[in-house]
């Protein structure tokens, strides 16, 4: 009953007052500005500071850039942990992502300046290109994050994944009974359509949305649209097959958009791990053999 | 005619059964009459395997403690439904093949049970009652103990064949029925839920649901939506304007608007409500505390009703927990047998309630002080006082100590037993205070509106108060007409004072208060119509309002008014026609003040007038701004209006803090759900995909933390509370898993689950692939690794109470799609039309 003023009211009010803005715009592009400043500062330093004998990672300025770059990369990698470890505290993943994206982009400048434009066939260059690979995949990620959610939402049309599958099961049950009076050939077509795994098509089909072996489409081919709809049973099956095809299409579109939203992480994350390993080799070799 | 029993106990729930056991032990000539063919119907109807809780844990079970050496008594401890019923069956010597026999030494008390003995009439007086059973059999008893619970009798179909065996009012598991023709009668929530369950395509049932009218006024909107959707999908058939005409073997005759029609039918589920037992009880001459539907019979401290010789115990007496029920059964028999009632079993609990008060006084002393000093307790009986205090907190405060602070969340009611308090009415100057004296109440605004405390209150001297939980306060108001009047009067006066600010005294507004009228406004009803010339001023006491205006032939949404605001002032002050329409977004209550009188008050208080003009100007500016958007390309105004309407339909209007997902940003990663699960013992309290969307704004299935939480309506152990940060949360310790909250929440956000097993740590998962990883573990993993004996309990979003940084779902969203909002801040033009990307 007695009251401590230490409740979360102020914090909650702040949250309720603000907070409806994307990670890109977070805090009026705070991290974009910081990243731009970082690029300008390092670029300016590169141009103004007289590096002996020539600009490269071995000069004191090169070491500075290298340290900044390494620090950034390690910090950027920690997003993978942050995302999965929801500890208490006044932080948000949105802010982290915002900073991640802009500081990650700044690495193009910091890292490139660090090389002093010296490219060769060695572990140092490997690290550099791995970094670029991670960044380029990241850029793809940001583009899909910004453009695909609306499509995902439109396609979903208030249905959950479970509901989409249920709807398909319901159609299938109707198909099963509707197909009873059909002849051998036609009912085989229906059976094959019903037997095919909903998720058939593999990764390629999922990403491209092409399913050449789709048994439902093939079955539809076996039920020509008859003008006037002569045969009751086959007409009914046909319309159910159309429904099934539509439902499948929704599920497949959903799979495709989700795949496009996730596929890049299959490069971004392994390349990050490879990058960390390469960086380790890079740093060790610099200190031992340079 | 049979012999005269000492006592006839009606109803074999925990209350009646315990009374009968005690009567048997005492050797009283008794009979236990039960309507159904088994003991304890309410518990019998729990889901199979349900884990029954024995709360409150600090309350001793009386029935088990009687006369050491004589017997161990009637047993009850937490356990499964089957176990508890099995023991009771053995206690009572009942052989019920549907309940497995419990091993071990369980005494049979020689209880004289009569099953299938529904009592339909009780006549006569103390010492000579005549009890008529449905079968026509007649019994005689000196005393009656009514322990029939609150279930009542399900209503029957009103047509020939209403007693046909294929008609049932209870559906345990829809999966018990397949490949049947099933007709559901009644389109309330129960009927709709049954119909939807039976219409699951996998069951292959042909389900028809009869709706006498055209709409689903009695059901939750969600259920109605799902039903019409299922109809559109062909999963079941809704027959509108149709009622049953006759039930025959294998078929049912329907009366439709175009004549009679016969359909095949193997099962009829009649969900047309039930008749509460009140009428039956009143017919015996027993009085209730008030006309309110939730009122209980008037009882003496020994549970005797106003009809001498008839006692009421158990849920029907207002005590829904099994332990209370059993103790009362014991107590009543002891009283009858010895003429003296044992010290009430709740004595230790009450001792705890009063433990913090100074002077080391007895429970009776404090009960007496509170009852004498606090005016709203005047009309209560001792029993009611005890019950009220059980759900309350008593505390003493020294001078200057804070009792509650402005903006703190609180929906409890305080009463001053001695001393007085000072209300800090001005947020900027704590030295300006208004006193509230001994015997009076405070905190009523929070109780009624569900909103935060409007001012800080401190003790002015040494003060002793009682804080009534929301449940206890509402019970008091509904059962005591005196308390109801007092609270209403005080709250109107205070609300006016608080609203129109300093400079006013209760004397200034006395005539206004006198003429004030509280009006209930159902959701959607218009209070003020644009263009009308009426001149009243309204204060929104409870609920929320939507303000709309006709712009270019379209109803455009202007703004949202939360409880505690006033409206209608423009017409009152400048005499103009109503400039906008104001209607209730949820069930609301307004105080109607006479415009003339208010104007007269303004004439004497120029300060008040200038304040009103200021508010008016602010509102006018908002309206002008919105009106100026009408030429806007892209239809921002249209979007704004439709979105606001959509959100208020989804319950955001009664929310205090609700989760929304901007689907223009959501990548579907479900990190929000995972974060919620990881922040809460491994179960997610939100379902991101489920729920409705409009213009890419999605309202997921997740708690809205309603101003007046529906879920709290009937929680037997009172386990749902509103916390300091406004969160509505369920106490996992005391929750008994009855599922009432789940069925009362209109938004389907409560789930019933046992606490899942602990997962290996994140690092173990990352490096060694141990465990199910972040987020909610799959059902099968939980089942495999969990403790099978854990009870299912209600779980829901607690707004991440106690977690620094706030809601995990919001913090874990990488793109900013997940936001939590409150309606007063979010239902504005700027927010809704904000360009977020
Ligand atoms: C789903 C659910 C879960 C719950 N879980 C718990 C829990 O875990 N722990 C807990 O403490 N409480 C729990 N409760 C509450 C508790 O079950 C009830 O409050 C308690 O059973 C009330 O006991 P009673 O003896 O007053 O009445 P009831 O148990 O309702 O018994 C009344 C009996 O009277 C009979 N009867 C009615 N009318 C007549 C008549 N005219 N003639 C003859 N007989 C009649 C009925 O058939 C019934 O058997 C739960 C409630 C529900 C609904
Ligand atoms: C060398 C630089 C970078 C490293 C080491 C790095 C590393 C990572 C890691 C480890 C993750 C976590 C993935 C997961 O666990 O799901 C991640 C996520 C992400 N990265 Fe990078 N990244 C880098 C640069 C970038 C850049 C330049 C961009 C964008 C322009 C970017 C965009 C993203 C995005 C959008 C995510 C997903 C966030 C989420 O969904 O939670 N990254 N990155
Ligand atoms: S965390 Fe954000 S982006 Fe991911 S599913 Fe939830 S709302 Fe969508
Ligand atoms: S559980 Fe339901 S009724 Fe209760 S506060 Fe949440 S949304 Fe409202
Ligand atoms: S606020 Fe907390 S408890 Fe509620 S849904 Fe979000 S994460 Fe879960």
């Amino acid at each position: 009953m007695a009251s401590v003023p230490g409740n979360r009211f102020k914090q909650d009010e702040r949250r309720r007052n603000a907070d409806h803005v994307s990670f890109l715009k977070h805090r009026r592009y705070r991290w974009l500005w910081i990243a731009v400043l970082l690029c300008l500062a390092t670029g300016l330093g590169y141009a103004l500071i007289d590096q002996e004998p020539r600009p490269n990672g071995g000069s004191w300025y090169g070491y500075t850039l290298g340290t900044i770059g390494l620090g950034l990369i390690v910090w950027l990698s920690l997003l993978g942990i942050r995302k999965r470890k929801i500890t208490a505290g006044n932080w948000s993943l949105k802010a982290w992502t915002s900073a991640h994206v802009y500081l990650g982009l700044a690495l193009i400048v910091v890292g490139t300046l660090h090389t002093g434009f010296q490219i060769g066939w060695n572990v140092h260059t490997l690290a550099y290109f791995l970094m670029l690979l991670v960044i380029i995949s990241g850029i793809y990620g940001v583009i899909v994050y910004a453009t695909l959610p609306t499509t995902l939402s439109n396609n979903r049309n208030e249905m959950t994944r479970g509901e989409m599958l249920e709807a398909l099961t319901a159609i299938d049950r109707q198909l099963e009974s509707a197909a009873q009076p059909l002849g051998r050939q036609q009912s085989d077509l229906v059976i094959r359509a019903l037997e095919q795994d909903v998720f058939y098509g593999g990764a390629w089909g999922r990403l491209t949305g092409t399913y050449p072996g789709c048994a439902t489409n093939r079955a539809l081919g076996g039920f020509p649209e008859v003008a006037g709809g002569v045969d009751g049973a086959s007409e009914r099956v046909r319309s159910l097959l159309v429904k099934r095809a539509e439902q499948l299409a929704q599920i497949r579109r959903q799979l495709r958009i989700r795949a496009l939203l996730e596929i890049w992480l299959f490069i971004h994350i392994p390349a990050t791990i490879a990058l960390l390993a390469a960086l380790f080799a890079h740093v060790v070799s610099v200190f031992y053999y340079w | 005619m049979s012999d005269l029993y000492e006592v006839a106990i009606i109803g074999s729930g925990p209350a009646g059964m315990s009374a009968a056991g005690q009567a048997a032990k005492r050797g009283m000539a008794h009979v236990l009459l039960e309507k159904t063919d088994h003991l304890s119907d309410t518990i019998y109807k729990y889901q199979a395997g349900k884990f029954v809780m024995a709360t409150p844990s600090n309350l001793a079970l009386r029935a088990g403690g009687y006369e050491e050496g004589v017997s161990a008594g009637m047993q009850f401890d937490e356990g499964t439904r089957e176990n508890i019923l099995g023991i009771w069956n053995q206690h009572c010597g009942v052989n019920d093949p549907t309940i497995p026999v419990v091993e071990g030494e369980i005494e049979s008390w020689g209880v004289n049970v009569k099953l299938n003995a529904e009592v339909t009439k009780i006549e006569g007086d103390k010492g000579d009652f005549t009890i008529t059973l449905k079968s026509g059999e007649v019994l005689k008893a000196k005393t009656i103990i009514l322990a029939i619970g609150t279930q009542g009798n399900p209503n029957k179909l009103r047509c020939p064949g209403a007693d046909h065996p294929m008609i049932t009012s209870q559906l345990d598991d829809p999966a018990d029925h397949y490949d049947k023709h099933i007709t559901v009668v009644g389109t309330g929530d129960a009927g709709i839920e049954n119909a939807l369950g039976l219409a699951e395509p996998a069951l292959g049932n042909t389900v028809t649901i009869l709706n006498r009218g055209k709409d689903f006024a009695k059901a939750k909107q969600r259920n109605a939506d799902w039903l019409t959707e299922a109809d559109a999908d062909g999963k079941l058939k809704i027959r509108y304007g149709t009622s049953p005409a006759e039930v025959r073997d294998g078929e049912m005759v329907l009366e439709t608007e175009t004549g009679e029609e016969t359909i095949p039918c193997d099962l009829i589920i009649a969900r047309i409500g039930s008749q509460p037992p009140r009428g039956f009880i009143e017919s015996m001459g027993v009085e209730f505390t008030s006309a309110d539907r939730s009122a209980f019979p008037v009882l003496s401290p020994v549970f005797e009703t106003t009809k001498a010789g008839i006692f009421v115990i158990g849920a029907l007496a207002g005590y829904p927990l099994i332990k209370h029920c059993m103790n009362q059964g014991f107590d009543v028999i002891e009283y009858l047998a010895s003429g003296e009632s044992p010290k009430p079993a709740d004595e230790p609990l009450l001792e705890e309630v009063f433990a913090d008060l100074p002077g080391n006084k007895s429970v009776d002393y404090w009960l007496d002080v509170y009852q004498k000093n606090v005016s709203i307790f005047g009309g209560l009986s001792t029993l009611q006082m005890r019950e009220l205090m059980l759900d309350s907190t008593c505390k003493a405060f020294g001078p200057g100590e804070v009792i509650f602070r402005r903006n703190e969340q609180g929906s409890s009611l305080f009463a001053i037993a001695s001393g007085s308090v000072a209300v800090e009415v001005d947020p900027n100057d704590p030295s300006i205070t208004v006193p509230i004296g001994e015997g009076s109440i405070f905190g009523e605004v929070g109780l009624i509106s569900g909103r935060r405390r409007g001012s800080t209150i401190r003790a002015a001297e040494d003060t002793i108060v009682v804080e009534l939980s929301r449940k206890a306060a509402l019970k008091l108001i509904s059962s005591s007409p005196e308390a109801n009047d007092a609270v209403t009067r005080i709250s109107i006066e205070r609300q006016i004072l608080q609203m129109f600010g300093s400079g006013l005294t209760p004397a200034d507004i006395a005539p206004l208060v006198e003429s004030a009228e509280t009006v209930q406004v159902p959701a959607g009803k218009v209070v003020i119509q644009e263009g009308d010339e009426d001149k009243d001023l309204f204060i929104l006491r409870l609920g929320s309002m939507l303000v709309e205006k006709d712009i270019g032939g379209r109803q455009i949404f202007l703004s949202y008014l939360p409880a505690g605001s006033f409206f209608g002032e423009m017409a009152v002050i400048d005499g103009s026609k109503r400039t906008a329409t104001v209607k209730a977004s949820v069930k609301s209550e307004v105080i109607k003040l006479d415009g003339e009188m208010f104007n007269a008050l303004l004439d004497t208080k120029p300060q008040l007038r200038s304040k009103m003009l200021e508010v008016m100007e602010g509102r006018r500016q908002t309206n002008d701004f919105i009106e100026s958007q009408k030429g806007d390309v892209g239809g921002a105004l249209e979007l704004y209006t439709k979105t606001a309407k959509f959100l208020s339909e989804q319950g955001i209007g009664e929310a205090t803090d609700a989760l929304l997902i901007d689907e223009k940003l959501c990548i579907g990663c479900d990190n929000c759900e995972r974060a919620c699960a990881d922040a809460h013992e491994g179960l997610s309290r939100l379902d991101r995909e489920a729920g409705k969307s409009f213009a890419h704004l999605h309202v997921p299935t997740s708690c809205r933390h309603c101003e007046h939480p529906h879920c709290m309506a009937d929680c037997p152990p009172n386990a749902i509370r509103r916390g300091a940060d406004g969160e509505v949360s369920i106490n996992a310790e005391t929750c008994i898993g009855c599922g009432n909250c789940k069925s009362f929440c209109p938004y389907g956000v409560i789930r019933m689950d046992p606490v899942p097993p602990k997962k290996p740590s994140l690092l173990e998962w990352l490096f060694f692939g141990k465990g199910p990883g972040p987020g909610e573990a799959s059902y099968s993993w939980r089942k495999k690794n969990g403790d099978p004996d854990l009870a299912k309990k209600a779980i829901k979003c607690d707004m991440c109470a106690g977690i620094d940084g706030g809601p995990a779902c919001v913090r874990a969203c990488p793109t900013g799609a997940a936001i939590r909002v409150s309606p007063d801040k979010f239902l504005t033009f700027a927010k809704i039309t904000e360009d977020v990307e």
Side-chain angles (χ1 to χ4, degrees):
Chain A
M1 157 159 53
S3 33
V4 257
N7 63 26
R8 242 174 40 195
F9 179 64
K10 284 222 176 75
Q11 210 176 39
D12 283 334
E13 276 299 269
R14 220 181 310 127
R15 161 174 67 74
R16 287 185 285 252
N17 270 327
D19 257 354
H20 186 204
V21 73
S22 76
F23 67 106
L24 291 175
K25 268 194 183 173
H26 175 70
R27 295 268 162 112
R28 306 201 179 157
Y29 299 103
R30 170 190 286 184
W31 293 102
L32 173 59
W33 297 124
I34 292 175
V36 167
L37 277 182
L38 178 66
C39 291
L40 285 180
T42 48
L44 219 59
Y46 189 83
L48 296 184
I49 292 169
D50 193 13
Q51 299 179 69
E52 286 301 326
R54 56 147 301 167
N56 77 12
S59 67
W60 72 264
Y61 189 63
Y63 274 131
T64 310
L65 288 178
T67 314
I68 298 177
L70 180 70
L72 274 178
I73 290 178
V74 170
W75 180 81
L76 290 165
S77 311
L78 287 177
L79 183 65
I81 306 281
R82 175 78 295 177
K83 192 175 171 181
R84 292 173 181 82
K85 190 132 186 92
I86 309 299
T87 51
N90 211 350
W91 58 274
S92 77
L93 195 62
K94 173 167 87 171
W96 272 69
T97 318
S98 190
H100 181 95
V101 166
Y102 292 123
L103 293 180
L105 285 173
L107 258 185
I108 305 182
V109 173
V110 175
T112 307
L113 294 181
H114 170 66
T115 64
F117 301 97
Q118 284 179 320
I119 305 291
W121 290 105
N122 50 36
V123 65
H124 318 299
T125 308
L126 172 69
Y128 179 66
F129 278 102
L130 278 173
M131 183 190 86
L132 286 185
L133 179 63
V134 174
I135 294 176
I136 289 167
S137 60
I139 293 175
Y140 166 88
V142 168
I143 294 173
V144 290
Y145 276 22
T147 53
L148 289 184
T150 310
T151 329
L152 187 72
S153 157
N154 287 342
N155 182 60
R156 203 164 78 75
N157 198 10
E158 295 191 345
M159 276 173 107
T160 65
R161 285 160 278 189
E163 283 166 0
M164 291 180 202
L165 292 175
E166 268 169 33
L168 193 70
T169 323
I171 296 172
D172 287 0
R173 213 178 354 258
Q174 293 176 41
L175 257 178
E176 223 169 272
S177 58
Q180 297 305 331
L182 295 182
R184 173 74 192 274
Q185 201 191 353
Q186 278 191 326
S187 58
D188 276 356
L189 282 172
V190 174
I191 289 169
R192 235 166 277 140
L194 292 182
E195 274 175 353
Q196 191 170 46
D197 182 10
V198 187
F199 300 111
Y200 128 90
W204 182 250
R206 206 172 265 215
L207 268 174
T208 56
T210 50
Y211 296 86
C214 173
T216 307
N217 277 329
R218 197 168 300 154
L220 261 176
F223 290 82
E225 205 164 352
V226 192
V230 225
D231 179 358
S234 95
E235 190 49 36
R236 187 166 150 62
V237 170
R238 193 192 134 73
S239 78
L240 281 170
L241 280 173
V242 171
K243 258 191 174 172
R244 185 174 208 275
E246 281 164 4
Q247 188 52 60
L248 262 183
Q250 185 196 24
I251 294 173
R252 286 172 179 168
R253 277 193 305 269
Q254 191 76 5
L255 289 173
R256 170 150 194 262
I257 304 167
R258 288 295 299 270
L260 290 173
L261 277 168
E262 280 166 11
I263 177 78
W264 63 282
L265 283 172
F266 288 92
I267 300 172
H268 203 71
I269 298 174
T272 297
I273 294 169
L275 170 62
L276 288 175
L279 276 178
F280 183 70
H282 162 69
V283 172
V284 168
S285 66
V286 165
F287 281 111
Y288 282 87
Y289 308 106
W290 200 252
Chain B
M1 194 142 299
S2 60
D3 12 309
L4 181 66
Y5 291 109
E6 199 68 37
V7 53
I9 300 145
I10 305 172
S12 67
M17 195 258 335
S18 145
Q22 193 61 19
K25 276 186 268 169
R26 279 275 187 183
M28 288 167 95
H30 70 282
V31 61
L32 175 62
L33 302 170
E34 167 56 46
K35 172 171 74 172
T36 61
D37 64 356
H38 45 256
L39 287 181
S40 203
D41 191 46
T42 299
I43 295 173
Y44 189 87
K45 279 189 189 148
Y46 291 176
Q47 214 174 19
K50 175 181 169 354
F51 194 85
V52 183
M53 313 295 295
T55 49
S57 50
N58 49 356
L59 178 68
L61 185 67
R62 265 303 171 66
Y66 169 64
E67 269 183 49
E68 218 148 321
V70 175
S71 65
M74 312 289 280
Q75 294 179 28
F76 170 62
D77 206 346
E78 56 177 36
T80 60
R81 158 190 178 269
E82 285 70 18
N83 195 45
I84 288 164
L85 289 176
I87 291 175
W88 291 354
N89 281 339
Q90 270 154 277
H91 277 336
C92 296
V94 168
N95 183 10
D96 182 346
T98 64
I99 302 291
V101 173
V102 177
E103 301 299 325
E105 221 172 289
I106 297 160
E107 236 161 312
S108 168
W109 302 117
V111 174
N112 178 24
V113 194
K114 226 170 148 57
L115 297 176
N116 300 312
E118 177 173 356
V119 174
T120 52
K121 202 158 59 178
I122 293 179
E123 291 158 314
D125 291 296
K126 184 171 177 174
D128 184 26
F129 286 107
T130 307
I131 304 163
T132 313
L133 303 186
K134 196 176 175 198
S135 62
E137 193 180 336
V138 173
L139 304 168
K140 290 233 161 217
K142 289 189 189 162
T143 314
I144 305 266
I145 296 177
L146 277 175
I148 58 176
T150 47
Q151 265 188 35
N153 283 322
N155 287 332
K156 284 190 176 169
L157 298 184
R158 265 171 308 213
C159 68
D163 286 321
H164 197 284
M166 76 177 171
I167 305 177
T168 167
S169 59
Q170 162 104 5
L171 177 69
D172 293 322
D173 185 357
D176 293 343
H177 305 278
Y178 44 87
D179 294 331
K180 280 185 188 161
H181 289 273
I182 303 174
T183 309
V184 178
V185 187
T187 46
D189 287 314
I192 294 181
E193 276 159 24
N194 287 173
L196 289 172
L198 290 162
E200 264 313 303
L203 299 173
N205 292 318
T206 310
V207 178
T208 309
I209 180 164
L210 307 189
N211 184 353
R212 205 149 26 122
K214 296 271 177 242
D215 57 4
F216 302 96
K218 275 191 274 159
K220 292 176 198 159
Q221 191 57 41
R222 263 160 53 88
N223 274 334
D225 289 348
W226 279 340
L227 187 71
T228 40
E229 255 168 55
D231 180 59
D233 293 349
K235 288 188 185 154
L236 51 72
K237 191 163 170 52
I238 310 175
R239 312 265 323 215
Y240 295 96
T242 305
S243 40
E246 192 183 345
V247 179
R248 302 185 200 135
D249 286 340
E251 59 183 32
M252 183 172 185
V253 185
L254 305 179
E255 188 182 316
T256 72
E257 285 173 345
T258 51
E260 288 202 346
E261 191 182 327
T262 305
I263 59 169
C265 183
D266 314 308
L267 175 69
I268 297 176
I269 314 266
R271 299 305 297 250
I272 43 180
S274 57
Q275 206 55 49
R278 179 165 178 165
F280 172 53
I281 297 158
E282 279 177 330
S283 74
M284 305 167 196
V286 171
E287 283 166 28
F288 279 63
T289 53
S290 80
D292 196 278
R293 269 181 49 217
S294 52
F296 296 101
V298 177
L299 295 177
S300 76
V302 293
F303 300 97
E304 191 160 10
T305 63
T306 51
K307 170 88 182 169
I310 299 188
F311 294 75
V312 165
I313 54 174
L316 186 61
Y319 290 83
L321 290 173
I322 295 171
K323 258 191 183 174
H324 283 302
C325 292
M326 292 187 63
N327 285 347
Q328 292 168 1
F330 175 93
D331 288 357
V332 167
I333 295 295
E334 285 308 283
Y335 169 73
L336 291 175
S338 66
E340 200 174 310
S341 58
K343 204 173 178 199
D346 53 20
E347 193 81 2
L349 298 184
L350 282 174
E351 272 163 19
E352 253 170 68
V353 170
F354 296 128
D356 283 347
L357 298 183
N360 226 344
K361 297 285 204 302
S362 69
V363 168
D364 287 334
Y365 171 83
W366 284 119
L367 283 175
D368 195 52
V369 167
Y370 276 105
Q371 171 131 40
K372 283 225 177 78
N373 292 1
V374 177
S375 59
I376 56 168
F377 295 163
L380 300 185
S381 69
T382 322
L383 200 61
Q384 278 175 309
M385 267 310 279
R386 296 188 83 96
E387 196 194 333
L388 190 71
M389 295 314 250
L390 274 183
D391 272 339
S392 307
T393 321
C394 293
K395 242 187 154 168
F397 290 91
E401 259 189 279
V402 172
I403 300 177
F404 60 64
R405 283 175 206 274
R406 182 187 310 272
N407 278 335
E408 209 165 58
Q409 191 63 243
S411 51
S412 51
L413 180 71
F414 289 79
I416 309 174
S418 77
S420 67
V421 301
V423 188
E424 291 174 10
V425 282
D426 188 337
N428 303 317
D429 185 357
S431 66
I432 305 179
T433 60
V434 172
I436 298 180
E438 183 167 303
S440 190
I441 55 169
F442 59 96
E444 75 293 336
V445 177
L447 170 72
I448 292 162
S449 69
R451 303 222 126 218
R452 295 170 183 281
R453 302 292 192 196
S455 26
T456 299
I457 291 191
R458 293 173 191 271
E461 53 192 300
D462 278 323
T463 301
I464 292 179
V465 301
V466 55
E467 178 180 12
L468 304 180
S469 70
R470 180 172 182 274
K471 180 177 170 180
L474 293 179
K475 207 167 179 181
L476 170 68
I477 291 174
S478 71
S479 60
S480 159
E482 293 98 322
N484 187 15
D485 287 349
V487 173
T488 311
R489 199 170 23 78
I490 294 177
S491 75
I492 290 180
E493 180 187 294
R494 299 242 179 95
Q495 212 142 17
I496 296 175
L497 285 177
Q498 191 173 343
M499 183 140 305
F500 302 127
S502 52
L504 288 180
T505 62
D508 291 335
I509 58 164
L512 207 55
V513 175
E514 209 51 52
S515 71
E517 194 188 333
T518 30
V519 185
Q520 316 271 344
V521 194
K525 187 170 168 196
V526 170
V527 182
I528 288 183
Q529 178 74 50
E530 185 178 352
D532 279 2
E533 302 207 22
D534 56 318
K535 300 257 173 313
D536 286 322
L537 179 72
F538 297 89
I539 296 177
L540 182 51
R541 186 170 190 237
L542 175 169
S544 56
M545 296 276 153
L546 305 176
V547 188
E548 293 177 348
K549 191 174 173 58
D550 187 317
I551 300 181
R554 284 173 308 169
Q555 280 298 108
I556 296 298
F557 178 77
L558 289 183
S559 58
Y560 166 90
L561 293 177
S565 16
F566 59 85
F567 57 95
E569 79 290 350
M570 294 191 187
V572 174
I573 292 179
D574 62 12
S576 56
K577 285 187 183 170
R578 298 293 191 189
T579 52
T581 298
V582 181
K583 64 180 189 194
S585 88
V586 291
K587 192 173 138 212
S588 306
E589 218 173 280
V590 295
I591 304 172
K592 188 165 144 187
L593 300 178
D594 184 81
E596 300 276 305
M597 261 186 204
F598 190 70
N599 255 332
L601 180 67
L602 287 187
D603 288 342
T604 62
K605 301 273 165 189
Q607 214 182 333
L608 180 57
R609 177 178 294 271
S610 65
K611 188 178 167 199
M612 294 295 286
L613 287 174
E614 215 174 281
V615 172
M616 226 169 92
E617 189 45 37
R619 288 186 175 171
R620 213 164 251 163
Q621 273 173 11
T622 315
N623 298 359
D624 289 349
F625 167 76
I626 287 175
E627 207 162 344
S628 73
Q629 300 293 311
K630 73 179 162 200
D632 180 46
V633 275
L637 206 52
E638 186 96 14
L639 178 73
Y640 169 57
T641 290
K642 286 197 173 149
T643 309
K645 188 161 166 269
F646 162 75
L647 289 175
S648 84
E649 274 166 14
Q650 295 307 311
I652 306 302
E654 63 173 323
T656 59
D657 198 301
L659 179 64
L660 297 182
I661 291 187
D662 186 331
E663 290 202 333
K664 288 202 291 283
L665 297 177
C666 174
I667 52 169
C669 64
D670 282 335
N671 219 39
C672 44
E673 284 186 16
R674 271 196 291 276
C676 181
D678 285 344
H680 295 91
E681 303 179 316
L683 291 175
S684 169
R685 285 106 209 277
L686 74 107
D687 184 342
R688 176 187 58 84
E689 275 191 314
K692 300 251 175 231
S693 319
F694 178 79
H696 302 292
L697 210 48
H698 179 65
V699 187
T701 298
S702 158
C703 178
R704 284 113 165 106
H705 300 277
C706 304
E707 268 180 355
H708 288 276
H710 310 272
C711 51
M712 281 187 190
D714 187 15
C715 171
N718 199 14
I720 310 179
R721 292 286 162 107
R722 172 147 243 147
D725 297 319
E727 76 279 6
V728 174
S729 65
I730 301 180
N731 181 341
E733 294 287 308
T734 53
C735 166
I736 54 173
C738 68
N740 281 357
C741 54
K742 184 180 164 157
S743 49
F744 277 109
C745 169
Y747 308 110
V749 308
I750 299 182
R751 55 187 282 194
M752 311 292 302
D753 263 303
V755 179
K758 229 179 144 37
K759 296 186 296 189
S761 75
L762 178 64
L763 288 181
E764 279 176 280
W765 173 75
L766 263 181
F767 294 122
F768 311 110
K770 265 200 183 160
E776 182 170 314
S778 68
Y779 177 73
S780 51
W781 188 86
R782 283 184 275 141
K783 184 136 183 138
K784 197 168 127 232
N785 296 281
D787 175 355
D789 287 336
L790 278 184
K792 277 192 186 172
K793 299 209 167 181
I795 61 169
K796 66 178 275 295
C797 165
D798 59 2
M799 231 165 92
C800 286
I803 299 181
D804 181 40
C809 48
V810 173
R811 287 191 290 133
C813 177
T815 64
I819 54 177
R820 295 196 67 99
V821 303
S822 65
D824 45 337
K825 297 192 190 294
F826 195 74
L827 292 178
T828 60
F829 189 78
K831 281 280 182 194
I832 288 184
T833 56
E834 193 164 34
D835 183 18
V836 295
E837 273 212 75

